[in-house]
Amino acid sequence: MREISFQKALEEAVAEEMRRDPRVILLATDFTGDPIKEFGPARVRFTPISEAVLTGMGLGAAGSGFRPIVNWRMVTFSFVAMDQIVNQASKIRYMFGGQADFPVTYRCSTGGGIGLAAQHSQSPYSMWMHLAGLKIILPSTPADAKGLLKSAIRDNNPVVSFECSRLATATGPVPDGDHLVPLGVAEVKRAGTDVTIVGLAYYVPEALAVAEELAQEGISIEVVDPRTLVPLDVETLRASVRKTGRVVIVDEAPATCSAASEIAALIAEDPETFRCLKASVRRVCALPVPVPYSPTLERAALPNREDIKAAVYEVLKESLRPL
Amino acid sequence: MALDKPQVVQMLRTMILIREFDERAIQLRVAGKIYGAVHPYVGQEAIAVGVCSNLTVSDRVTSTHRGHGHCIAKGADIRRMMAELFGRVDGYCKGKGGSMHIADFAVGMLGANGIVGGGLPIACGAALAAQLEGKGDVTVCFFGDGAAAEGEFHEALNIASVWKLPIVFVCENNQYAANNAVAVQHPGVDIAAHAGAYHMPGVIVDGNDVLEVHTATGEAVVRARRGDGPSLLECKTYRWHFHAMRNTPPAETRASDEILSWKARDPIARLEQHGLERGVLSAAEIGTIRERVKSDLEAAVAFAEQSPFPDPKDLLVDMFAD
């Protein structure tokens, strides 16, 4: 299998879908690669820096028969398009009684860890999860990035693709051909029996690295990647926790009202899964602070492998303690 | 511009239907038969009708919170509109949208919008679709004077002009954004003045004169269809009633002489007079039109009342497409 970068996998996904379906169009303030060369200036639009209008144009064009891909670039830029995301995109199908489909894909880079400071480092997927009406993908490998983005472009709903900045240059095997990953299907990236680590985006490979280290100590970690936050494959997550009895959820968004919180709640509120817990549910998240610039501060704000390991030891220790 | 008799009859009938629909909606709200908010379009009928009389079914429009007139003028079915106001399952949105979210995609009505300025970007997307399709379709974006203070207005005009989108921006300047007069919201009261900054024609018309609105829109639509890009049309008008009604109609805060002077420019009376003077309408025909509107509205209310409420088990249906 070919090894390509996360970024290259995403570019391939867009190009393949544009070749497959002439209704796929691109709107963005800038592009990686040169899609205009292959697809022409009618379908590939350099836009003014006008996120609100781009976001709404995606909806208007989608409701009129096209399949736009709108690239906000950094997710934090999308905040100036809040009306179009919150009041329009997430509600437009439902409030019109399902009269039309809105197959638009919003792409953005997400997360910190690369020295871009507070306004360019955020992971706000839970804000979008909260809206009820948007699908959300969050890949952690090049193969998933390609397969999920292709599925998102083919999906008949607004889908937000969160693309982790720290993973952009990560490489990995990607299957040849029309590689699709269905939305709403989590994947067990590593099987184990002692502790489940649910990782999001960058923290999937980090969790796998931790699992490898802890295997030397005889600790068997199962790493589960939800891959899609809406719809969330909660059954796969619960099944893993029922098997291991312990769970650590790792993400770089602050824990307050986060995707990690939602996953924790969905695990804990299922009676059968709850009864299998041998320790309380742990979240390993960023501190609730705007992401700072200085590398020492940024490192302190975001979770790291030591934090994940510490949480694993905690849940193991807690489960040995008599009640 | 001299219209032929069927055009005048059609315009008059649609204007009367729009007015009577909203007067009826107010009565129904007072009587507690319908729910939520009503934003009457009474007084502004010449704009929806004058604009939409230039459009075909494949042309698209976006609307505002005051959207009943645009729906009717674009060809929506008043029975399904009324059922939506009643929150019934036969409404356009199966009772999920209500007055502020009526849409009929089958006739190119892409939806009323509860957010001031929210429809402008969506309209640009519909216009982009039309440009890519290359069939000569246009999009009309209705918005109020209040929306001109929103960022989305400026983003929309800018990108539409840069890309020469086939779109007509129609500002219904009814002198008030919610309850605040246009003069306290904008440094100049002419919204059309913004057109120059975006290198597009900006035209001010008497929004109470359906023929003038029809003619000015016609020119903007032709320009859009031939690929020359957007226009901004500002229609000066006045809403006869309140901004929004949630239970009883709110107290009037506007000067009575201001209201009276605008009512003296009633767009429906003016079209009737025009038709009578030109001999294309008779008093008897006008009476027949009014009777017909009345009976159509009775039928729409009856249809709505007979339609069942949606079943709560369908609450989650329509959120996501398959």
Side-chain angles (χ1 to χ4, degrees), chain B residues 19 23 42 208 238-241 254 256-267 269-270:
Chain B
R19 174 162 303 178
E23 293 289 4
V42 173
N208 284 25
Y238 197 78
R239 60 172 159 77
W240 285 16
H241 298 312
R254 301 171 299 176
S256 57
D257 57 344
E258 178 183 290
I259 299 170
L260 286 172
S261 73
W262 278 96
K263 283 191 173 176
R265 300 169 59 189
D266 178 357
R270 283 167 73 177

Side-chain angles (χ1 to χ4, degrees), chain A residues 1-6 9 140-144 167-175:
Chain A
M1 224 183 288
R2 296 172 307 141
E3 294 250 344
I4 58 172
S5 73
F6 193 86
S140 70
T141 67
D144 286 350
L167 291 173
T169 56
T171 56
V174 175

Side-chain angles (χ1 to χ4, degrees), chain A:
Chain A
M1 224 183 288
R2 296 172 307 141
E3 294 250 344
I4 58 172
S5 73
F6 193 86
Q7 186 59 42
K8 172 81 175 151
L10 292 164
E11 284 168 21
E12 281 189 5
V14 171
E16 286 177 20
E17 291 309 299
M18 290 193 79
R19 274 174 221 132
R20 198 182 66 84
D21 185 347
R23 295 172 305 156
V24 178
I25 58 173
L26 293 186
L27 306 173
T29 54
D30 202 0
F31 298 99
T32 55
D34 188 8
I36 291 183
K37 201 170 161 188
E38 179 173 357
F39 302 106
R43 291 176 67 195
V44 180
R45 300 282 180 127
F46 278 106
T47 70
I49 301 172
S50 304
E51 288 84 0
V53 87
L54 297 185
T55 304
M57 282 183 91
L59 288 175
S64 305
F66 285 83
R67 307 187 81 85
I69 301 170
V70 175
N71 198 331
W72 293 319
R73 299 182 61 77
M74 289 182 182
V75 68
T76 48
F77 299 156
S78 73
F79 296 162
V80 296
M82 276 305 235
D83 166 55
Q84 291 297 323
I85 300 164
V86 177
N87 284 315
Q88 316 295 338
S90 73
K91 300 176 171 67
I92 196 164
R93 186 175 202 281
Y94 185 80
M95 73 185 184
F96 292 151
Q99 282 186 57
D101 293 342
F102 297 88
V104 54
T105 304
Y106 297 110
R107 291 184 60 195
C108 56
S109 64
T110 188
I114 55 172
L116 294 182
Q119 290 181 341
H120 288 342
S121 306
Q122 207 173 328
S123 304
Y125 12 88
S126 66
M127 289 164 56
W128 274 244
M129 289 170 76
H130 184 76
L131 296 175
L134 299 176
K135 292 189 177 181
I136 296 171
I137 61 172
L138 183 68
S140 70
T141 67
D144 286 350
K146 182 170 181 179
L148 287 169
L149 186 58
K150 282 167 69 82
S151 293
I153 296 165
R154 293 187 201 183
D155 196 274
N156 285 327
N157 298 283
V159 183
V160 183
S161 172
F162 283 95
E163 300 160 7
C164 179
S165 300
R166 277 189 284 180
L167 291 173
T169 56
T171 56
V174 175
D176 293 322
D178 192 23
H179 170 62
L180 290 168
V181 174
L183 304 191
V185 181
E187 186 176 54
V188 176
K189 298 284 196 202
R190 176 193 174 108
T193 53
D194 296 329
V195 179
T196 297
I197 301 180
V198 178
L200 301 185
Y202 179 76
Y203 289 95
V204 173
E206 290 296 280
L208 288 167
V210 166
E212 196 63 37
E213 281 182 47
L214 292 179
Q216 314 300 318
E217 301 174 21
I219 301 169
S220 171
I221 306 273
E222 177 147 303
V223 176
V224 188
D225 178 359
R227 302 197 290 192
T228 304
L229 295 177
V230 179
L232 183 65
D233 179 4
V234 65
E235 200 32 58
T236 297
L237 302 176
R238 285 173 176 161
S240 175
V241 175
R242 288 198 292 269
K243 182 169 81 168
T244 63
R246 303 174 188 90
V247 61
V248 173
I249 306 153
V250 193
D251 185 32
E252 66 174 294
T256 312
C257 304
S258 62
S261 305
E262 178 63 13
I263 290 167
L266 288 166
I267 288 167
E269 75 182 6
D270 176 55
E272 197 191 333
T273 309
F274 184 75
R275 280 195 292 272
C276 295
L277 283 173
K278 298 169 190 162
S280 48
V281 176
R282 287 286 198 289
R283 290 174 294 169
V284 177
C285 294
L287 295 179
V289 64
V291 174
Y293 169 68
S294 179
T296 54
L297 298 176
E298 188 182 41
R299 276 199 296 273
L302 301 178
N304 59 36
R305 290 182 195 177
E306 291 310 309
D307 299 326
I308 302 169
K309 270 199 261 183
V312 169
Y313 290 136
E314 277 174 31
V315 294
L316 285 165
K317 206 165 122 192
E318 183 187 333
S319 55
L320 295 171
R321 196 182 302 148
L323 286 171

Side-chain angles (χ1 to χ4, degrees), chain B residues 27-28 55 93 98 105 166 219 228 232 238 240 277 279 316 320:
Chain B
Q27 290 168 9
L28 290 164
L55 305 180
C93 313
F105 279 70
E219 288 166 11
D228 288 346
L232 172 59
Y238 197 78
W240 285 16
E277 283 170 4
L316 297 179
F320 288 115

Side-chain angles (χ1 to χ4, degrees), chain B residues 166-215:
Chain B
I167 187 166
V168 183
F169 295 102
V170 176
C171 177
E172 300 183 298
N173 184 346
N174 67 12
Q175 315 300 320
Y176 287 85
N179 294 312
N180 299 309
V182 65
V184 302
Q185 307 205 45
H186 298 283
V189 293
D190 292 336
I191 305 302
H194 291 287
Y198 298 107
H199 297 257
M200 68 176 76
V203 181
I204 296 174
V205 299
D206 180 346
N208 284 25
D209 182 341
V210 68
L211 303 176
E212 195 178 326
V213 174
H214 174 83
T215 303

Side-chain angles (χ1 to χ4, degrees), chain B residues 23-67:
Chain B
E23 293 289 4
R24 193 66 197 262
I26 294 168
Q27 290 168 9
L28 290 164
R29 188 66 186 82
V30 169
K33 295 261 188 185
I34 61 173
Y35 193 52
V38 173
H39 298 82
Y41 194 70
V42 173
Q44 304 181 205
E45 300 88 350
I47 304 168
V49 173
V51 168
C52 293
S53 53
N54 288 284
L55 305 180
T56 70
V57 76
S58 60
D59 295 317
R60 302 178 179 104
V61 306
T62 61
S63 175
T64 66
H65 54 284
R66 202 175 304 287

